Amino acid sequence: MGAEQSRENVPVWRLTVDEKLADDLIRLLISPLAKGVKEFYDGKNDWGEEEECLVYPGTYVREMGIPESEAGEWLWADLKEGQVFLSGQFEVVGDLESPEKFVVSPGQRNFLRIDGLVRRDIKRLYFKLLETRRQDGNSH
Amino acid sequence: MATPIEPGDLVIHVLNVGFGDDILIGLPADDTGKRSYGLVDCKDAEKTRSYLNKLMPNPSERSRLAFICATHPHQDHIKGIKSLLTDSTYRPLEFWDSGFRHNSRTYRGILETLATKDIKMIRVSSGMEWYYGRVRITVLSPSVALRNKYATYGVDMNNASIVLRLEHHSEDVLLMCSREYTGRVSLEAERTAGRSVVILAGDAEFDSWAQISEEYPRLERTSAHDPLVKKMINHLACGVVKVAHHGSMHSAPLDIYEKMKPEVAVVSTEQRVSTKQAAGRTLTRGLFPHQSATIALEECGVRILTTDGSYESQPAQGGSQKDPAMAHPGSIVVVVPSGGTPRWKKLNDGIGDVPDPPTEV
């Protein structure tokens, strides 16, 4: 995971399923938690640059950092474009369905799907952008 | 024989950026002789910026891009866009978006940047048009029908792709498109009608082409419909197509290529070979381009060019033949004169190289 940085040096990774290129080939986007960040959500400065990573049915569990004990819950066939996962040493603060935030927690291995949360934020940002432009008379 | 590129030509530069799209559109020069540029997708910001600098060696000639179009938000199409949105020289006047919201950090970064910059954001759908001098750009896809299904009916990102039709106006082409004709239109006549048209297909797949066929039908008068259909219209007829989705097996059906009847098909790609088990046998094949796409194109007598040099073929007596002289990586430059037949040239750059733009093609 992450060609430039080893898994040991980065406590948490954000993984996005970008494109299913073939039945047996997926392009993942992987970004490391930004240096020094201990509490995070999906904020502007929480994550580093995304890197591309091609995964196959035989490699995705390792590349995504899925704990071996949970590998049976995360099947290749269930990976879909747009899914977002957190992988690494962290814990959830607040309700699992609607977390308040996430915090780095050394030794606490976790793997969590969060695209429901991310999607809400992106949608809000997108329509805010269109709304702003509309006020300028610039949007279509 | 190579001919100089004229200021009035429409010029399409399909940069070799490996697996991904990065297409610069050189719009015909205005009355002052100044040419402006648009960008359709951007995987490699540095290569794009450096190539633009070579296109406009005099810094005083450089100006903001007319537009950046993100056909859809897959990484191989948008990776470099944020960098150009913040570029002090090439920051675009407009940003065209498919309306499909991706959850990647890269896409979010584009939105966050747009929020802070003086760039007009346009969420496009089929039927929208822009005019740049004598070039008309029409959006063929996504249809509103597809757009309304993004979040609920499983329309995926590829099928959300913006598909653009660029037509370099010429009186004879317009006449050809709108005249009342007196009989069957020959293949050659249709080819002539579409010769100064370029279609940039993003990563559109079958759902997208189905909608395009519905909204932009090929109409032909038949005795059964006479006199209701009087005009020969085929919006998909084109001289050049940037093949959808890197020539994958789902890039377009044969039916679409038959309507297009292009002379040249450009595939922006980096071939990948895949091996999988299918019905008890091991299946090994190239994915980008896939043979289903290359066979369909060859069936229509099309010249195929790839940016990675993995599959080059040309029409020949009895079918098609490989063209070993073109079997090398390189950006592809297509020149479309007003109402004229496109010409093309393949450069010799690798993925990381910045080639010199040709002055003649």
Side-chain angles (χ1 to χ4, degrees), chain A residues 14 16 18 27-31 42 44 47-52 118 122 125, chain B residues 42-43 70 72-83 85 95 97 102-114:
Chain A
R14 183 190 190 277
T16 305
D18 187 44
R27 182 175 57 233
L28 280 181
L29 302 177
I30 301 181
S31 54
D42 203 35
K44 191 174 180 176
W47 302 98
E49 285 293 305
E50 282 179 322
E51 283 182 25
E52 298 174 27
V118 173
I122 296 270
L125 179 59
Chain B
C42 180
K43 183 182 180 187
H72 66 294
H74 276 143
Q75 189 77 352
D76 57 319
H77 292 254
I78 66 166
K79 187 178 181 182
I81 286 179
K82 181 180 169 184
S83 173
L85 293 178
F95 176 75
D97 183 73
H102 194 11
N103 295 327
S104 71
R105 296 295 304 177
T106 305
Y107 183 67
R108 184 182 176 126
I110 289 172
L111 297 184
E112 287 169 345
T113 304
L114 285 168

Side-chain angles (χ1 to χ4, degrees), chain A residues 101-115:
Chain A
K101 61 185 173 184
F102 304 97
V103 293
V104 173
S105 178
Q108 178 91 32
R109 295 276 299 143
N110 219 331
F111 189 81
L112 188 66
R113 187 176 154 192
I114 60 159
D115 42 281

Side-chain angles (χ1 to χ4, degrees), chain B residues 118 148 174 233 254 278 341 343:
Chain B
D118 172 31
N148 285 341
L174 292 175
I233 295 181
L254 171 60
T341 304
R343 315 187 303 275

Side-chain angles (χ1 to χ4, degrees), chain B residues 26-332:
Chain B
L27 298 162
D30 60 19
D31 293 341
T32 67
K34 185 171 161 36
R35 193 187 275 281
S36 58
Y37 291 86
L39 178 62
V40 178
D41 292 329
C42 180
K43 183 182 180 187
D44 185 338
E46 283 315 306
K47 180 161 184 166
T48 308
R49 188 180 287 111
S50 301
Y51 192 77
L52 277 165
N53 287 344
K54 286 191 171 186
L55 283 166
M56 294 172 279
N58 184 348
S60 67
E61 293 173 359
R62 297 172 189 164
S63 60
R64 294 175 69 176
L65 295 170
F67 61 86
I68 291 180
C69 171
T71 61
H72 66 294
H74 276 143
Q75 189 77 352
D76 57 319
H77 292 254
I78 66 166
K79 187 178 181 182
I81 286 179
K82 181 180 169 184
S83 173
L84 286 165
L85 293 178
T86 56
D87 189 283
S88 56
T89 304
Y90 297 122
R91 181 169 53 95
L93 296 167
E94 296 182 353
F95 176 75
W96 302 352
D97 183 73
S98 70
F100 195 109
R101 298 183 297 274
H102 194 11
N103 295 327
S104 71
R105 296 295 304 177
T106 305
Y107 183 67
R108 184 182 176 126
I110 289 172
L111 297 184
E112 287 169 345
T113 304
L114 285 168
T116 64
K117 299 289 175 187
D118 172 31
I119 300 169
K120 183 174 172 180
M121 173 166 162
I122 300 175
R123 186 171 46 161
V124 309
S125 59
S126 61
M128 295 173 74
E129 291 180 344
W130 288 260
Y131 289 82
Y132 295 96
R134 298 175 76 184
V135 172
R136 176 173 62 174
I137 301 181
T138 307
V139 177
L140 300 181
S141 195
S143 68
V144 172
L146 277 178
R147 216 172 74 173
N148 285 341
K149 294 175 185 171
Y150 281 175
T152 49
Y153 290 92
V155 174
D156 61 21
M157 259 180 270
N158 284 338
N159 276 311
S161 282
I162 296 172
V163 177
L164 298 174
R165 177 182 187 274
L166 292 78
E167 180 173 2
H168 198 181
H169 280 293
S170 155
E171 200 175 357
D172 59 339
V173 172
L174 292 175
L175 281 173
M176 178 65 77
C177 287
S178 62
R179 70 176 188 175
E180 291 188 17
Y181 70 101
T182 55
R184 285 190 63 79
V185 172
S186 69
L187 177 71
E188 208 43 51
E190 275 203 63
R191 277 210 153 122
T192 304
R195 69 185 177 187
S196 50
V197 173
V198 177
I199 291 180
L200 304 177
D203 277 3
E205 294 186 339
F206 290 0
D207 289 352
S208 178
W209 292 116
Q211 289 291 328
I212 291 171
S213 297
E214 179 74 17
E215 293 193 330
Y216 295 92
R218 179 185 182 283
L219 300 179
E220 184 180 359
R221 190 178 70 168
T222 67
S223 56
H225 296 93
D226 188 37
L228 295 177
V229 179
K230 292 183 177 176
K231 296 175 180 176
M232 188 285 286
I233 295 181
N234 179 5
H235 296 275
L236 293 184
C238 62
V240 181
V241 59
K242 195 295 291 182
V243 173
H245 198 218
H246 320 287
S248 80
M249 70 178 91
H250 303 127
S251 55
L254 171 60
D255 169 55
I256 292 297
Y257 294 127
E258 285 178 336
K259 287 174 180 160
M260 290 179 173
K261 299 180 183 68
E263 290 188 20
V264 180
V266 176
V267 186
S268 53
T269 191
E270 186 174 28
Q271 181 60 286
R272 292 206 176 99
V273 175
S274 174
T275 300
K276 72 170 184 178
Q277 297 298 315
R281 67 199 170 119
T282 302
L283 185 60
T284 301
R285 74 277 190 241
L287 295 177
F288 308 103
H290 188 272
Q291 59 183 3
S292 63
T294 53
I295 289 171
L297 287 163
E298 287 173 344
E299 191 70 22
C300 300
V302 182
R303 167 105 207 190
I304 302 174
L305 298 167
T306 60
T307 53
D308 70 343
S310 63
Y311 197 98
E312 321 293 307
S313 78
Q314 56 188 334
Q317 193 64 37
S320 296
Q321 67 181 26
K322 292 289 177 62
D323 184 358
M326 291 293 116
H328 58 80
S331 300
I332 296 161

